[in-house]
Amino acid sequence: MSPPEAAAVFAVLVLVVVVGFIVLTSYNAVVALRQRIDKAWANIDVVLKQRHDQLPNLVAAVRGLMAFERDTLTRVTEARAAYSPTAAIPDQAATSDATSAAVRSLFAVVERYPDIKAGTNVQDLQDEIERLEGMIADRRELYNDQVYRYNTRITQLPGALLAPLFGWRAREFFAAEPVERARPDTDLRST
């Protein structure tokens, strides 16, 4: 093999190694981001389940005192029943939004009744649900950040070239409905 042929073979090998390294590092980075998205969603799912587990306790605590506010209690119960951890993320986001709206309605109704508002068990349950709502918001932010990073990675070079080869598709954000964007005041303590 002549020196020019050896140089050409060496250049091709270097090019193959460099391209292979770029493909490997890009692939690994996308896999890591997908794992982070799955982990972030699992963390949201845990808190959604905790919130849905607390809702029957809150409904039971106020049911006897709010017999004539049946529609509010029904909406909370229906929202809880609609929760499915196996549903698609957009469906779970919609269920989460509906549940949050129903809980806000329940808290607004409770605000109108001093007897309910004064109950320590109702207040404790409300505080727990408020804590869980805050955790959901925090975890949504982390999830959406990971989705943003992933979606950016697969749309920039070299990810954009590799995405069709590996079947990478953009993930959906866990977006809030417009009604969700304003956080209501749910403090039932006397002022």
Side-chain angles (χ1 to χ4, degrees), residues 8-170:
V9 168
F10 181 73
V12 168
L13 286 176
V14 168
L15 183 63
V16 167
V17 168
V18 168
V19 168
F21 179 75
I22 291 170
V23 169
L24 181 66
T25 56
S26 294
Y27 180 83
N28 287 341
V30 170
V31 167
L33 286 169
R34 289 173 66 185
Q35 292 299 318
R36 287 183 190 139
I37 290 170
D38 293 343
K39 178 185 174 197
W41 179 253
N43 288 339
I44 290 172
D45 197 42
V46 166
V47 181
L48 288 174
K49 183 175 181 344
Q50 288 174 348
R51 178 181 66 181
H52 284 77
D53 289 348
Q54 288 297 324
L55 290 178
N57 297 333
L58 181 62
V59 169
V62 298
R63 178 173 275 135
L65 301 169
M66 292 177 47
F68 47 91
E69 295 282 358
R70 264 309 154 214
D71 60 324
T72 302
L73 294 174
T74 301
R75 280 197 314 269
V76 171
T77 304
E78 288 171 351
R80 182 191 180 275
Y83 171 71
S84 172
T86 59
I89 289 173
D91 295 339
Q92 287 193 41
T95 299
S96 175
D97 293 341
T99 303
S100 293
V103 168
R104 277 195 304 276
S105 295
L106 179 61
F107 288 167
V109 168
V110 167
E111 178 67 26
R112 293 192 306 244
Y113 298 98
D115 293 344
I116 297 172
K117 187 172 147 179
T120 57
N121 62 336
V122 172
Q123 188 60 55
D124 291 346
L125 288 167
Q126 180 184 354
D127 289 345
E128 177 63 9
I129 290 173
E130 279 292 312
R131 184 186 70 80
L132 293 171
E133 290 286 339
M135 288 176 66
I136 291 169
D138 290 343
R139 290 180 180 185
R140 270 184 171 184
E141 183 178 344
L142 177 64
Y143 172 83
N144 285 338
D145 181 58
Q146 296 303 323
V147 168
Y148 168 78
R149 290 171 189 249
Y150 170 81
N151 289 347
T152 301
R153 174 71 73 157
I154 67 169
T155 56
Q156 291 178 335
L157 291 175
L161 299 173
L162 300 175
L165 295 173
F166 295 113
W168 299 333
R169 292 182 182 26

